[in-house]
Amino acid sequence: MSANDNFYKVKHLYNRAGFGISYNDLHKLSRKNLNKVVDGLFKEPKQNDEITLIDSVASKQQLLMQAGLYAKKDLTDEEKKQRQEIVSMQNEKSRDLNIAWVEKMINTEHPLLEKMTLFWHGHFACRSNNPMFAQQLNNIQRNNALGSFKTLLVEVSKSPAMLQYLNNQQNRKGKPNENFARELMELFTLGRGNYSEQDIKESARSFTGWMYDKDGSFIFRPNLHDAGTKTFFGKTGNFDGENIIDIILDKPETAEFISRKVYKFFVNDNPNETHIKELANHFFNSKYNIAELMKKMFTSDWFYSPENIGSKIKSPAEFLVGLSREFYVTYNKPQVLIQLQSSLGQYLFNPPNVAGWPGGQSWIDSSSLMLRMRIPSLVLNDGEIDFSGKADPEDEAVIAQSRIATVNANTKIKPKSYVDAKADWPKFLSTLPKGIKPVELAEFLLQPKLNEKIKGMIGDNKGLKSTSVELTSMPEYQLC
């Protein structure tokens, strides 16, 4: 294998397993054995890597205040004002949390960890109006992103954010709520068609009593749990929630369902069933070790096949984070990151529904593609952007509800806004080899193989900075 072969493979690996790579690092890693490069992606953080932006004590006080106010039917004017202040505070903290995660992805030294957190964020799609709950779930996904899928699944299932979102707080003996039990199998583990309605009912009974307390911590309430005998997938017993999860994981269909979603996220939107079976068998036999699944994928020859390179559309998060990492961008007004997410269709912590973002070609339409192609020159040249017709971050609760509500939010007239970002051009240019030609720069910045049209467009461009802006403004830069 030549160094040139490794150059393209390592670039592809870091585009999919992370958010891109600097030219210097790419040049160094291209000299290494590819399996060792893959192993390097799995290094663990030296210290706690959680997001700790939201103060838990303050958030718990907010929760108690909110619970007291919302429990009352008739509020005084003063109580209405107080409730609105709490809602405004929660919205502000939610925006701060969103920005904190985006900036973490931009600056992380562990790109695979954050990329996997992003994957699980979409897989276990959840909205919570409590920022402490949202932060907690994000940290659960990060802490278990490359560990045991069983542990991740149990911890997500016990998180107040998910218990609240899927109504398990109302799931009790004699009055089972089936929302969580249904989505656990349909969206989180087995996929539609691999369970019966009776399985849902028995699973819901098993999860009765799984709730969170007034402080926002998981609690099992035995007095609200249905301790009767249940029959689930042909097995009979006095099952609780973890028993149900164990039975689900005993089914190879779960490994196949997760492997297919991983494949579509990291490899290709068009599944190759042979490769998915290969991954699923490995995942199942490893007892659902996520790191083993990912290593198997990243070290497979087919991962680097031509049909899998430059074949995926970057999600808005991948696009914004990748551009910012590539050019060492700092945002003097980070609020613009919220506006850009809303405009591009991926507002983190606010998925459209429990199924998450559909991804693939849904990321692009005529409006969003034009905006995507404008963003690099705006971000890299501190330009002005017009958010007219785009959703305002203040409408985040509305945006998340439905397509109709989104249209209504978009009818409001929004002012122009300066991106107020600064790319560190000296740092970026210092990572490039001396005398690099525009075509060589294009081979680095663009994932798809260069065609004659692109070569002709940039061949006469003398400045590396202007060439970079031109390249990142091309439709081809939207692919990874």
Side-chain angles (χ1 to χ4, degrees):
M1 181 184 299
S2 69
N4 189 52
D5 289 333
N6 252 12
F7 178 92
Y8 293 105
K9 289 186 176 181
V10 172
K11 185 176 74 161
H12 174 64
L13 173 65
Y14 267 77
N15 275 328
R16 295 294 178 84
F19 306 96
I21 186 173
S22 72
Y23 197 102
N24 272 346
D25 289 341
L26 176 57
H27 184 68
K28 293 175 184 176
L29 292 177
S30 295
R31 298 176 177 177
K32 294 186 176 182
N33 176 275
L34 188 60
N35 286 349
K36 291 185 177 180
V37 176
V38 171
D39 288 340
L41 287 166
F42 292 83
K43 60 183 179 181
E44 295 184 4
K46 295 180 180 179
Q47 56 188 11
N48 186 299
D49 207 34
E50 292 187 347
I51 293 178
T52 56
L53 178 72
I54 311 300
D55 178 75
S56 60
V57 175
S59 294
K60 287 178 181 179
Q61 290 174 344
Q62 288 179 40
L63 269 177
L64 293 173
M65 291 173 64
Q66 183 188 47
L69 289 175
Y70 286 150
K72 294 184 65 174
K73 293 184 178 179
D74 299 316
L75 299 178
T76 65
D77 289 343
E78 181 61 31
E79 287 172 331
K80 290 178 181 178
K81 180 180 178 182
Q82 187 179 15
R83 182 169 67 178
Q84 184 56 48
E85 289 175 351
I86 293 172
V87 171
S88 296
M89 186 185 308
Q90 287 183 325
N91 287 343
E92 180 182 354
K93 289 291 186 181
S94 294
R95 290 191 290 272
D96 290 344
L97 177 62
N98 178 295
I99 292 169
W101 187 24
V102 175
E103 291 185 335
K104 186 176 185 65
M105 286 189 278
I106 291 172
N107 298 305
T108 185
E109 295 181 358
H110 305 280
L112 176 59
L113 181 63
E114 291 306 316
K115 192 66 168 282
M116 286 301 301
T117 305
L118 182 63
F119 169 77
W120 294 122
H121 181 71
H123 179 76
F124 294 110
C126 179
R127 291 196 305 267
S128 175
N129 60 3
N130 185 290
M132 183 183 74
F133 288 0
Q135 176 179 276
Q136 180 189 45
L137 180 57
N138 186 254
N139 284 327
I140 287 172
Q141 291 163 348
R142 179 175 294 102
N143 291 336
N144 299 283
L146 291 164
S148 163
F149 178 68
K150 176 184 176 180
T151 302
L152 172 62
L153 184 58
V154 170
E155 291 300 307
V156 167
S157 301
K158 289 182 175 180
S159 68
M162 191 62 74
L163 291 170
Q164 178 189 60
Y165 185 46
L166 294 181
N167 309 114
N168 213 76
Q169 190 76 349
Q170 289 77 46
N171 188 17
R172 56 197 66 204
K173 180 180 179 180
K175 295 183 178 180
N177 186 298
E178 298 176 3
N179 282 7
F180 174 76
R182 181 180 301 277
E183 307 307 352
L184 171 67
M185 290 186 280
E186 179 178 331
L187 296 174
F188 300 162
T189 56
L190 288 163
R192 188 174 298 177
N194 290 309
Y195 54 88
S196 69
E197 288 297 314
Q198 187 61 29
D199 290 325
I200 294 173
K201 294 181 184 298
E202 298 294 83
S203 175
R205 291 178 58 209
S206 302
F207 281 99
T208 51
W210 279 43
M211 301 177 177
Y212 58 91
D213 62 18
K214 65 180 183 179
D215 292 326
S217 300
F218 172 78
I219 186 171
F220 175 68
R221 300 188 186 278
N223 59 315
L224 298 179
H225 176 66
D226 185 340
T229 300
K230 300 106 179 170
T231 300
F232 183 70
F233 285 123
K235 297 184 178 182
T236 301
N238 179 16
F239 299 139
D240 61 16
E242 291 202 38
N243 297 142
I244 293 296
I245 288 174
D246 284 337
I247 294 171
I248 288 173
L249 294 178
D250 280 341
K251 298 180 73 64
E253 291 87 349
T254 297
E256 185 171 332
F257 180 77
I258 300 300
S259 296
R260 180 174 286 101
K261 289 198 71 172
V262 166
Y263 185 95
K264 292 179 71 174
F265 187 90
F266 286 94
V267 184
N268 200 305
D269 294 324
N270 300 311
N272 181 305
E273 296 302 326
T274 300
H275 299 159
I276 288 171
K277 287 283 188 183
E278 180 184 333
L279 292 175
N281 289 337
H282 189 78
F283 193 33
F284 187 80
N285 292 333
S286 73
K287 297 182 179 179
Y288 291 94
N289 184 307
I290 301 168
E292 285 299 314
L293 169 66
M294 303 309 292
K295 286 180 181 179
K296 175 68 173 177
M297 183 175 65
F298 293 147
T299 55
S300 297
D301 289 340
W302 48 256
F303 181 76
Y304 304 93
S305 297
E307 63 269 20
N308 293 328
I309 296 177
S311 60
K312 286 186 61 64
I313 299 170
K314 296 174 184 175
S315 69
E318 291 171 317
F319 169 61
L320 293 172
V321 171
L323 180 71
S324 302
R325 284 176 66 90
E326 196 114 59
F327 296 95
Y328 307 98
V329 177
T330 55
Y331 294 87
N332 299 318
K333 293 182 179 179
Q335 182 78 3
V336 76
L337 290 168
I338 297 280
Q339 294 170 301
L340 290 172
Q341 289 174 62
S342 295
S343 299
L344 293 175
Q346 189 182 25
Y347 195 145
L348 298 178
F349 295 102
N350 277 284
N353 50 55
V354 71
W357 295 275
Q361 293 186 0
S362 71
W363 291 130
I364 295 291
D365 57 29
S366 58
S367 175
S368 62
L369 178 58
M370 293 304 294
L371 178 59
R372 279 176 175 244
M373 292 170 63
R374 288 182 59 216
I375 286 173
S377 62
L378 295 167
V379 169
L380 303 181
N381 285 329
D382 192 19
E384 184 183 49
I385 188 166
D386 185 357
F387 286 106
S388 296
K390 298 297 181 180
D392 189 280
E394 290 294 338
D395 296 316
E396 59 191 47
V398 178
I399 293 169
Q401 295 303 316
S402 69
R403 185 180 299 273
I404 295 175
T406 301
V407 172
N408 291 337
N410 286 344
T411 60
K412 298 180 181 179
I413 302 300
K414 308 299 185 298
K416 290 184 178 181
S417 172
Y418 284 98
V419 174
D420 200 7
K422 183 176 178 59
D424 192 337
W425 284 105
K427 187 172 183 178
F428 170 72
L429 295 174
S430 71
T431 67
L432 303 177
K434 291 183 179 180
I436 187 173
K437 297 177 181 178
V439 170
E440 293 172 324
L441 180 60
E443 289 178 335
F444 166 64
L445 290 176
L446 302 181
Q447 185 64 13
K449 186 176 180 180
L450 300 187
N451 55 40
E452 293 303 317
K453 179 182 176 181
I454 294 176
K455 292 179 181 179
M457 290 175 65
I458 63 172
D460 297 329
N461 200 322
K462 302 299 181 184
L464 292 180
K465 179 177 177 180
S466 59
T467 300
S468 298
V469 174
E470 183 178 358
L471 289 169
T472 53
S473 301
M474 289 181 175
E476 288 79 5
Y477 187 74
Q478 305 303 323
L479 301 174
C480 67

